[in-house]
Amino acid sequence: MILRVDRLQVELPAPTDPDPAAAAHVQELLGGRFGEMSTLMNYTYQSFNFRGREKAKPFYDLIANIATEEYGHIELVSAVINGLLTGASEGEDVTDSPLKGVKDQAGIRHHWINSGFGALPVNSLGQGWNGEYVFNSGDLVLDLLHNFFLENGARMAKIRVYETTDHPIARRMLGYLFVRGGVHALAYAKALEELTGVDVKKMLPIPNIPDADFKEAREFTDQGMHGKLYRFSETDFEGIRQVWTGTHPLDGTPLEVIDGLPPTAAPTPADLPEEPAVSSPGLHPGEIAEVVQRLVSRM
Amino acid sequence: MILRVDRLQVELPAPTDPDPAAAAHVQELLGGRFGEMSTLMNYTYQSFNFRGREKAKPFYDLIANIATEEYGHIELVSAVINGLLTGASEGEDVTDSPLKGVKDQAGIRHHWINSGFGALPVNSLGQGWNGEYVFNSGDLVLDLLHNFFLENGARMAKIRVYETTDHPIARRMLGYLFVRGGVHALAYAKALEELTGVDVKKMLPIPNIPDADFKEAREFTDQGMHGKLYRFSETDFEGIRQVWTGTHPLDGTPLEVIDGLPPTAAPTPADLPEEPAVSSPGLHPGEIAEVVQRLVSRM
Amino acid sequence: MILRVDRLQVELPAPTDPDPAAAAHVQELLGGRFGEMSTLMNYTYQSFNFRGREKAKPFYDLIANIATEEYGHIELVSAVINGLLTGASEGEDVTDSPLKGVKDQAGIRHHWINSGFGALPVNSLGQGWNGEYVFNSGDLVLDLLHNFFLENGARMAKIRVYETTDHPIARRMLGYLFVRGGVHALAYAKALEELTGVDVKKMLPIPNIPDADFKEAREFTDQGMHGKLYRFSETDFEGIRQVWTGTHPLDGTPLEVIDGLPPTAAPTPADLPEEPAVSSPGLHPGEIAEVVQRLVSRM
Amino acid sequence: MILRVDRLQVELPAPTDPDPAAAAHVQELLGGRFGEMSTLMNYTYQSFNFRGREKAKPFYDLIANIATEEYGHIELVSAVINGLLTGASEGEDVTDSPLKGVKDQAGIRHHWINSGFGALPVNSLGQGWNGEYVFNSGDLVLDLLHNFFLENGARMAKIRVYETTDHPIARRMLGYLFVRGGVHALAYAKALEELTGVDVKKMLPIPNIPDADFKEAREFTDQGMHGKLYRFSETDFEGIRQVWTGTHPLDGTPLEVIDGLPPTAAPTPADLPEEPAVSSPGLHPGEIAEVVQRLVSRM
Amino acid sequence: MILRVDRLQVELPAPTDPDPAAAAHVQELLGGRFGEMSTLMNYTYQSFNFRGREKAKPFYDLIANIATEEYGHIELVSAVINGLLTGASEGEDVTDSPLKGVKDQAGIRHHWINSGFGALPVNSLGQGWNGEYVFNSGDLVLDLLHNFFLENGARMAKIRVYETTDHPIARRMLGYLFVRGGVHALAYAKALEELTGVDVKKMLPIPNIPDADFKEAREFTDQGMHGKLYRFSETDFEGIRQVWTGTHPLDGTPLEVIDGLPPTAAPTPADLPEEPAVSSPGLHPGEIAEVVQRLVSRM
Amino acid sequence: MILRVDRLQVELPAPTDPDPAAAAHVQELLGGRFGEMSTLMNYTYQSFNFRGREKAKPFYDLIANIATEEYGHIELVSAVINGLLTGASEGEDVTDSPLKGVKDQAGIRHHWINSGFGALPVNSLGQGWNGEYVFNSGDLVLDLLHNFFLENGARMAKIRVYETTDHPIARRMLGYLFVRGGVHALAYAKALEELTGVDVKKMLPIPNIPDADFKEAREFTDQGMHGKLYRFSETDFEGIRQVWTGTHPLDGTPLEVIDGLPPTAAPTPADLPEEPAVSSPGLHPGEIAEVVQRLVSRM
């Protein structure tokens, strides 16, 4: 089970300069084969199906705990997509043509026909994330090797999307996720090393450019976040301490387990702007507010 | 963000009588269009994308909180599938034919070729859950109508799977989920009623048979669980109290919000048996245990 | 079985101002999850599979008859797409580059690579309509609830496409289909009400804006078409009269069953222009005409 | 537009001996790439998109008219699947296990989990029919060549399914469709011959075995049905007479156009048995009958 | 088995004028239903599965040999896509935005997010080539009819792509493949004629325009390449001589079997430019060169 | 380009004991995500798209050469599937029910409805191999890491299929491919080691059981085949010698490059039995033989 905390892993800039084409690119990081839906679901199912977990507890705990952090990543990337789409209509009158401007743009048509300028679990082409992206052979070494590869594939996709846009909302998320993804890649490398004796972590980073070279990541590496594994549980997964020890191979930062949420956590965007042109949350949001008023007053 | 608690929503019987065909049927409840992946992801994305949520807080809180409970449902259904597949091999020697017995059975071949007798985010035919199953127009009334329909569609699938098997592991989960799904259907009905004035809840149950007629559900209705909405957050989503009020339309049970996890919560199956025939968690689990021993002793 | 009448449900303006991007958007209304292929096929299969239909005849007749009208909708939307694509090439010489102009436009490449500037049963991203979109549990209440939701989802998609373009061909169809879709939503609401006692129709319209607010729909509401259910059969489906009674909830228009085709019916576009650049119906249409001449003279 | 006539193209035997595995095979003839959904939709879209149709009227009429007959084929094949699934449950009590018997059988699980023992637009593996199966280049010769190939591919699939089962419901349909499919293949061959001068019809039948060798087809060839093209329209598509002339290449039967429905037409199965185990049309069909009683008495 | 020769079937111009939209169109010719992956895999599997091949050797040899040539076609089309994408970035610094320019262009986002400006086995919409495109009934006549249709469908797609772009790299390939595809269509027509007596080749070309009317094809028809079938084997497939005899129906060119590779063969583009912006073959290609230096010196 | 040699990489036993369920399992090794279509196409496209290949020649040559060997693997696995399906019908009369026996078996229905008891590029569930399985980021290290993971995933699938059947045709292929797949995994490990300094090969084998423990593999390891890389080219790819040096990490066998085909090569099954029940290569193969006779005599 999970408990939800209504906070984002890192605060995002307020929406400006709508950019449906950038939103389309960022979707790859959400619903693409190497997107956050994939990291979330791969590790989640690997934890659900982990056999003999008592004997192998540190590894079970590691996979389960990273899975938990990944939930915050689909949330963060979704918030970015919402931010990039906010304001893309012109006017609010649905009996007019407030979406005429997006018709000829590069973007994903489902963002406005099907969703209300919101994120969807699809890739940059609008193709749905697919459960077949989950790899879980049951064999711990093979699954960890998969995860190590997956994290590196995910990093490459992030770099490529980074290169397509310098939109501040996208860049904020990318800077943060370069660092957190780096932690996960290192964690799996260390787990593999324990099990096979191979110094897998020496392969990192792929491609060969440190996270700190991306200026938006530096704020987080400066805080030492690349050495911290957050324990996303109040009661469980203590075993991660047994894997996440030693120092970071790039700069010697001590590897630490931190109990609880990252310090960067910030409220989710409670004020995500209404978009009446796409009827979100309704054509006349005031009506919903009135209903709520009634509900509240009844208590 | 989420915090994970390493517990199942309800304890399951220990694995006996492996039944790959039953496991195949239960997959529909996990990765089918009306499976728990769909309820989880529909509500999760609806919460991520909720615009103007401040004004509409009780509805945002309701969707976000139910989404959070659904995570426990994919976990529970996955545990059932693991249980149904446990023991389906004959022998442990991979250089022999320990999977010969499953070759000619009705089942999903990927359960043993690709996974280690574990759950996959696929439906009863082995087709991957697809992100296109997520509906999120942004319009609150339409999204709630969708959710109400989805819950009822999910109930129908559960009834049909119930009819195919009386395996105790499957039935335990089904009894529990009939009741919890019923709560969600009612919650969305009430939300719709507040917004539109239509007494949607009068349509329930669909089909017209109360949960309590399923004997495995009765234990939970007897506890009044059909009137309880658990708040899966320590800090947020208080607004659900504004919707979840009054009494249950079937039997007058008062509707209550309970802070925290359901009392049925039980440890996840830490002793999910190893299956060396599918190399899960390895051909020689003892080797992993030795590595862990070394890790632990190093601390 | 069916008999075909070579007429469109409503006359469309002649092609002008080709707009492949608008055509791409309109495809969602044809082959998307909430497009006319979905309404057609859902109701068609529900009618094929209807068990115990004798006892439940008015409901069987209703679903079967609406299914029949939907055929005219895929025909109409296809005609719109043809109209929007007509003239999108520049020149007729296939050994030159008459399609160069469309190469860099937002559009669906299959419209010119695979089809001859014609409609395809695909959505706005070019993904094929899928048989899995058909929901038919067999349970009448659940199926009607689905249909009610489907009609409302379809309406939302139409509104969104409306907002992207004011092209007269698209708008003509949209005005017409707002009204006809509204009739179907109301019909399913009434059927549900009869079966469950819930006043579902009070939920309409979703979102909360009457069809008549769309200026292209007003011509049809002014004719009272929103109160008329056409019986698309000369011999069957009389039972629809038992459901389609009373008055329209919005304006009190009496609900009437009309035998036969809508009065707006018009010839299909016999003069849909040739497009030699995409070899439709051939590079040299004159050659086909000669063959036809020979065929005719032979009679 | 179409008018629907509530009749099947040929009467089917009453349901006996449920056979979910046979139903699974027959699905290929409905929703497979070479199933009736494909013939229906290919010709339907080719008729919708036909450019310059005035000049090429006999060909337009031919494609449109055959498309119309194909609707009756999806209806007929669906009725067969319903017949093969009828009675596959054991008992009616959904709180017991009336579907236990089908759990271990070869069949398509969606037939009972998702549908109420009804046909679905999917193939023999349960994969949805896909709009990408529609081929419509716009070029008349190429489209006719496609159609000729499609009819022959469809014939092969029918022969293969024929070989898997001698169930009388399936065989009745197969006998009928061998003959009608043969008419369509010949019609497209003749059209191609007119346009290209190639005697395509000499290639038939593929594989080289006449329809009449299948005993269930003989009843229909004995009636000369292999020489008759029915005009499924009261008002249109007269041009088919210009193509469908001469004699049948196999046995010299004169080719005739018959106005209206085939003489084999029979009522659709109004008494398709209720299946309460799958809640079709409800758990308690009597309740629906009562509602209907009320509706009728109100008139 | 195969032996690979590191040469392209025809030399391509060096990359200039990157055009991601043209690359997207050309993808249809690689991974679309009528692309070279389809011709390659259809004939390859037909050859693998050919039963009774001894008796039918000329036909087996024909299919197997054409399959072999098709490999060179996926190679050639891929080289074109690489050429069209080369140079599409602006700058090499991945910590800057060298892909900003492609963000708003019509193109396939996976070309830069997932691949390194390289070809993918997907169609013009980025949808993966699918094994279900392979048709192989086992019946030789039906399979040949399919192949004949496939070649003509492929020709149509090539013509349409030709019309969208006059980029010299694309046009060079198109000119060449018009001619080679024409040979394959004719070869299947001749095989069908032998088996059925129908003069299928008279149907060619479809649409009715000779290859030589495309100026880029003329160089190859001038060399008589439309009459030559290359035997892509040093040891096998001699039986093709028995089918490929006589003269070309269009211009009487004698049909010849040539042993070995076409004379147009040219080295594969060994100097396909590095693209550091997409890390291909690495961010710092010099590092790889150093490794290679070490490897070489060690020999 | 390629030249084809009509030989299999290893001789297979003659068909006996048809086993459609085993054939279904083996399909995973052909068209599954980790099947031979995936290894073939991943390496093939990586070679097509390799940028800056001159500088990185040994790596280009390695990938291109292994790709070439993989073609022989899809051929071999296809031959196994053909062998397992041979004889699965009962009788030859298509107007009777010679396929009745397979109707109720676990298997892939498309093997007899669509193909003529032949292999298809689909996985064990009958889902088509998909071009999206190709990974080719362009970054050499990441692509090699992918390939290393892919080979290990493929090995796991082979082990699992091995465990389901001891059919001699399947086992022969498996024994051979364990060894050849092991060579490829090692080759990619060595390449990665050269580029990153990480001793990746120490991770092998995954799972931790040597190939030689599978008795059918021992014949090939006894011949030292696990140390041999065949150069599948007469003219190119010499650079593989620079990577494939040293000794095998498991047993010290010297690593050798062998020019040309493996010594195990054997003729393809020219006598793959006819199957008239599925019309392969025709209902009356004698007719084809007569045509061939005519063709031959004409020469």
Side-chain angles (χ1 to χ4, degrees), chain F residues 223-240:
Chain F
Q223 295 172 30
M225 213 176 218
H226 57 302
K228 301 198 166 89
L229 191 60
Y230 301 96
R231 190 166 66 95
F232 281 87
S233 179
E234 295 182 352
T235 46
D236 301 287
F237 311 129
E238 286 280 0
I240 59 176

Side-chain angles (χ1 to χ4, degrees), chain B residues 33-34 127 132-133 135 137-139 141-142 145-146 148-149 152-153 156 160 192 196-203 206-208, chain C residues 33-34 127 132-133 135 137-139 141-142 145-146 148-149 152-153 156 160 192 196-203 206-208:
Chain B
R33 186 180 302 273
F34 291 87
Q127 300 160 332
E132 294 170 13
Y133 298 169
F135 181 86
S137 71
D139 184 272
V141 170
L142 186 55
L145 175 60
H146 165 269
F148 178 74
F149 165 64
N152 282 294
M156 183 62 90
R160 301 279 175 85
L192 269 175
T196 67
V198 178
D199 184 5
V200 182
K201 62 186 185 301
K202 205 169 133 188
M203 227 183 263
I206 304 173
N208 192 4
Chain C
R33 185 181 302 274
F34 292 87
Q127 302 161 332
E132 295 170 11
Y133 297 169
F135 181 86
S137 71
D139 185 272
V141 172
L142 186 55
L145 176 59
H146 165 268
F148 178 74
F149 165 63
N152 282 294
M156 183 62 89
R160 301 279 176 84
L192 269 175
T196 67
V198 178
D199 185 5
V200 182
K201 63 187 184 301
K202 208 169 131 188
M203 225 182 265
I206 305 172
N208 193 4

Side-chain angles (χ1 to χ4, degrees), chain D:
Chain D
M1 280 183 288
I2 56 172
L3 294 167
R4 188 159 162 187
V5 186
D6 202 12
R7 299 172 74 81
L8 280 185
Q9 290 190 349
V10 73
E11 194 176 15
L12 295 175
T16 53
D17 302 306
D19 189 339
H25 282 75
V26 173
Q27 280 286 166
E28 190 72 26
L29 307 183
L30 183 57
R33 186 181 302 273
F34 292 86
E36 301 294 344
M37 283 290 290
S38 283
T39 50
L40 169 62
M41 286 298 158
N42 268 282
Y43 312 152
T44 297
Y45 277 91
Q46 287 174 15
S47 70
F48 288 171
N49 297 332
F50 204 114
R51 290 182 174 277
R53 64 182 73 163
E54 225 154 359
K55 280 190 202 156
K57 193 166 185 312
F59 301 105
Y60 169 70
D61 283 1
L62 186 75
I63 290 171
N65 188 68
I66 294 180
T68 314
E69 177 165 0
E70 299 293 359
Y71 181 96
H73 294 183
I74 65 164
E75 191 178 31
L76 184 64
V77 176
S78 294
V80 169
I81 293 166
N82 273 286
L84 292 170
L85 291 168
T86 293
S89 63
E90 291 156 313
E92 305 196 346
D93 181 359
V94 301
T95 69
D96 193 359
S97 316
L99 299 178
K100 211 173 175 179
V102 297
K103 191 196 62 180
D104 297 300
Q105 288 186 29
I108 297 175
R109 293 177 191 111
H110 284 176
H111 272 156
W112 47 91
I113 304 183
N114 291 349
S115 96
F117 285 140
L120 292 168
V122 303
N123 70 6
S124 62
L125 307 179
Q127 300 160 333
W129 181 83
N130 197 299
E132 295 169 13
Y133 297 168
V134 168
F135 181 86
N136 182 203
S137 70
D139 184 273
L140 183 56
V141 170
L142 186 55
D143 289 352
L144 287 169
L145 175 59
H146 165 269
N147 297 354
F148 178 73
F149 165 63
L150 178 62
E151 287 291 340
N152 282 295
R155 184 177 198 257
M156 183 62 90
K158 282 186 204 101
I159 290 177
R160 302 280 174 84
V161 171
Y162 182 98
E163 296 182 66
T164 64
T165 179
D166 53 12
H167 197 293
I169 304 183
R171 283 285 179 96
R172 176 76 173 164
M173 169 270 288
L174 286 162
Y176 183 81
L177 290 186
F178 279 139
V179 177
R180 297 311 305 157
V183 166
H184 298 174
L186 180 57
Y188 288 128
K190 288 177 68 67
L192 270 175
E193 186 178 5
E194 298 293 357
L195 286 161
T196 67
V198 178
D199 185 4
V200 181
K201 62 186 185 303
K202 205 168 134 189
M203 226 183 264
L204 300 173
I206 304 173
N208 192 4
I209 184 170
D211 290 335
D213 281 16
F214 296 92
K215 60 182 169 301
E216 294 84 355
R218 218 163 304 139
E219 169 183 347
F220 305 106
T221 53
D222 285 353
Q223 296 172 30
M225 212 176 218
H226 57 303
K228 301 197 165 88
L229 190 60
Y230 301 97
R231 190 167 65 95
F232 282 87
S233 180
E234 296 182 352
T235 46
D236 302 287
F237 311 128
E238 286 280 0
I240 60 176
R241 296 180 201 285
Q242 284 146 8
V243 180
W244 193 251
T245 63
T247 57
H248 197 287
L250 277 191
D251 63 4
T253 300
L255 303 184
E256 285 178 281
V257 169
I258 308 289
D259 289 330
L261 309 182
T264 49
T268 65
D271 52 352
L272 187 65
E274 295 159 2
E275 291 276 0
V278 285
S279 185
S280 178
L283 295 177
H284 315 290
E287 293 176 1
I288 297 175
E290 276 172 42
V291 170
V292 168
Q293 218 40 52
R294 199 185 65 224
L295 296 184
V296 170
S297 67
R298 163 174 91 185
M299 296 301 282

Side-chain angles (χ1 to χ4, degrees), chain E:
Chain E
M1 280 183 289
I2 56 171
L3 294 167
R4 189 159 162 188
V5 186
D6 202 11
R7 297 172 75 81
L8 279 186
Q9 290 189 349
V10 72
E11 194 175 15
L12 296 175
T16 53
D17 302 305
D19 189 338
H25 282 75
V26 173
Q27 280 285 165
E28 191 72 26
L29 307 184
L30 182 58
R33 186 181 302 275
F34 292 86
E36 300 295 343
M37 282 292 289
S38 282
T39 50
L40 168 63
M41 285 299 159
N42 268 281
Y43 312 152
T44 296
Y45 277 90
Q46 288 174 16
S47 69
F48 288 171
N49 296 333
F50 205 113
R51 291 181 175 277
R53 65 182 73 162
E54 224 154 0
K55 279 189 203 157
K57 192 165 186 312
F59 301 105
Y60 169 69
D61 283 1
L62 186 75
I63 292 172
N65 188 68
I66 294 180
T68 313
E69 178 165 0
E70 299 292 1
Y71 181 97
H73 294 183
I74 65 165
E75 189 179 33
L76 183 64
V77 177
S78 294
V80 170
I81 294 167
N82 272 287
L84 291 170
L85 292 168
T86 293
S89 63
E90 292 154 314
E92 305 197 345
D93 180 359
V94 300
T95 69
D96 193 358
S97 317
L99 299 178
K100 212 173 176 180
V102 295
K103 191 196 62 178
D104 296 300
Q105 288 187 29
I108 297 175
R109 292 176 192 112
H110 283 178
H111 273 155
W112 48 91
I113 304 184
N114 292 347
S115 95
F117 285 139
L120 291 168
V122 304
N123 69 8
S124 63
L125 307 178
Q127 301 161 332
W129 182 85
N130 197 300
E132 295 170 12
Y133 297 168
V134 168
F135 181 86
N136 182 203
S137 71
D139 185 273
L140 182 57
V141 171
L142 186 55
D143 289 351
L144 287 169
L145 176 60
H146 165 270
N147 297 354
F148 179 73
F149 165 63
L150 178 62
E151 287 291 340
N152 281 295
R155 184 177 197 259
M156 183 63 90
K158 282 186 205 101
I159 291 177
R160 301 279 175 84
V161 171
Y162 182 98
E163 297 182 66
T164 64
T165 180
D166 54 10
H167 197 293
I169 303 184
R171 284 286 178 96
R172 174 77 172 164
M173 170 270 290
L174 286 161
Y176 183 82
L177 290 185
F178 278 139
V179 177
R180 297 312 305 157
V183 166
H184 297 174
L186 179 57
Y188 289 128
K190 289 177 68 68
L192 270 175
E193 186 177 7
E194 298 293 356
L195 286 162
T196 67
V198 178
D199 184 5
V200 182
K201 62 187 185 301
K202 205 168 132 189
M203 225 182 264
L204 299 173
I206 305 172
N208 192 4
I209 184 170
D211 291 333
D213 280 17
F214 296 93
K215 59 182 170 297
E216 294 84 356
R218 217 163 305 138
E219 168 183 347
F220 305 106
T221 52
D222 285 352
Q223 297 172 28
M225 213 176 218
H226 56 304
K228 300 199 167 87
L229 191 60
Y230 300 96
R231 190 166 67 94
F232 281 87
S233 179
E234 295 182 351
T235 47
D236 301 288
F237 312 128
E238 286 280 359
I240 59 176
R241 297 181 200 285
Q242 284 146 8
V243 180
W244 193 252
T245 63
T247 57
H248 196 288
L250 276 192
D251 63 2
T253 299
L255 303 184
E256 286 178 279
V257 170
I258 307 290
D259 290 328
L261 309 181
T264 49
T268 66
D271 52 352
L272 187 65
E274 294 159 4
E275 290 277 358
V278 284
S279 185
S280 181
L283 295 178
H284 314 293
E287 292 175 1
I288 297 176
E290 276 171 42
V291 170
V292 168
Q293 217 42 51
R294 198 184 67 225
L295 296 184
V296 170
S297 68
R298 162 174 93 187
M299 295 301 281

Side-chain angles (χ1 to χ4, degrees), chain A:
Chain A
M1 281 184 289
I2 57 171
L3 294 167
R4 188 159 161 187
V5 186
D6 201 11
R7 298 172 75 81
L8 280 186
Q9 289 189 350
V10 72
E11 195 175 15
L12 296 175
T16 53
D17 302 307
D19 189 339
H25 282 76
V26 173
Q27 280 286 164
E28 190 72 27
L29 307 184
L30 183 56
R33 186 181 301 276
F34 292 86
E36 300 296 343
M37 282 291 289
S38 282
T39 51
L40 169 62
M41 285 298 158
N42 268 282
Y43 312 151
T44 296
Y45 278 90
Q46 287 174 16
S47 70
F48 287 172
N49 296 332
F50 205 113
R51 291 181 174 277
R53 66 182 73 163
E54 224 155 0
K55 279 191 202 156
K57 192 165 186 311
F59 300 106
Y60 169 70
D61 284 2
L62 186 75
I63 291 171
N65 188 69
I66 294 180
T68 313
E69 178 166 359
E70 299 292 0
Y71 181 96
H73 294 183
I74 65 165
E75 190 178 32
L76 184 64
V77 177
S78 294
V80 169
I81 293 166
N82 273 287
L84 292 170
L85 291 167
T86 293
S89 62
E90 290 154 315
E92 306 198 344
D93 180 0
V94 301
T95 69
D96 193 359
S97 316
L99 299 178
K100 211 172 174 181
V102 297
K103 191 197 61 180
D104 296 300
Q105 288 187 29
I108 297 175
R109 294 177 191 111
H110 283 177
H111 272 156
W112 48 91
I113 303 183
N114 292 348
S115 97
F117 285 140
L120 291 168
V122 303
N123 70 8
S124 62
L125 307 179
Q127 301 161 331
W129 182 84
N130 197 299
E132 295 170 12
Y133 298 168
V134 168
F135 182 86
N136 182 204
S137 70
D139 185 272
L140 182 56
V141 170
L142 186 55
D143 288 352
L144 287 169
L145 175 59
H146 165 269
N147 297 354
F148 178 73
F149 166 63
L150 178 62
E151 287 290 341
N152 282 294
R155 185 177 197 258
M156 182 63 88
K158 284 186 203 101
I159 290 177
R160 301 278 176 85
V161 171
Y162 182 98
E163 297 181 67
T164 63
T165 179
D166 54 10
H167 197 294
I169 303 184
R171 284 287 177 94
R172 175 76 172 165
M173 169 271 290
L174 285 161
Y176 183 81
L177 290 186
F178 279 139
V179 176
R180 298 311 305 158
V183 166
H184 297 173
L186 179 58
Y188 288 128
K190 289 178 67 68
L192 269 175
E193 184 177 6
E194 298 293 357
L195 285 161
T196 66
V198 178
D199 185 5
V200 181
K201 63 186 185 300
K202 206 168 132 188
M203 226 182 264
L204 299 173
I206 304 173
N208 193 5
I209 184 169
D211 290 334
D213 281 17
F214 297 92
K215 60 182 170 297
E216 294 84 357
R218 216 163 306 137
E219 168 183 345
F220 305 107
T221 52
D222 285 353
Q223 297 171 29
M225 213 175 218
H226 57 303
K228 302 201 167 86
L229 191 61
Y230 301 96
R231 190 165 67 95
F232 281 87
S233 179
E234 294 182 352
T235 48
D236 301 288
F237 311 127
E238 287 280 1
I240 58 175
R241 297 181 199 285
Q242 284 147 9
V243 179
W244 193 251
T245 62
T247 58
H248 197 287
L250 275 192
D251 64 2
T253 300
L255 303 184
E256 285 177 279
V257 169
I258 307 290
D259 290 330
L261 309 181
T264 48
T268 65
D271 52 351
L272 187 64
E274 295 159 2
E275 290 277 359
V278 284
S279 185
S280 179
L283 294 178
H284 315 292
E287 293 175 0
I288 298 175
E290 276 171 44
V291 170
V292 168
Q293 216 43 48
R294 198 184 68 225
L295 296 184
V296 170
S297 68
R298 162 175 93 187
M299 296 301 281

Side-chain angles (χ1 to χ4, degrees), chain C residues 119-176:
Chain C
L120 292 169
V122 304
N123 70 8
S124 63
L125 307 179
Q127 302 161 332
W129 181 84
N130 197 300
E132 295 170 11
Y133 297 169
V134 168
F135 181 86
N136 181 204
S137 71
D139 185 272
L140 182 56
V141 172
L142 186 55
D143 289 351
L144 287 168
L145 176 59
H146 165 268
N147 297 353
F148 178 74
F149 165 63
L150 178 62
E151 287 289 341
N152 282 294
R155 184 178 197 258
M156 183 62 89
K158 282 186 205 100
I159 291 176
R160 301 279 176 84
V161 171
Y162 182 98
E163 297 181 67
T164 63
T165 179
D166 53 11
H167 196 292
I169 303 183
R171 283 286 178 96
R172 176 75 173 166
M173 170 271 290
L174 285 161
Y176 183 82

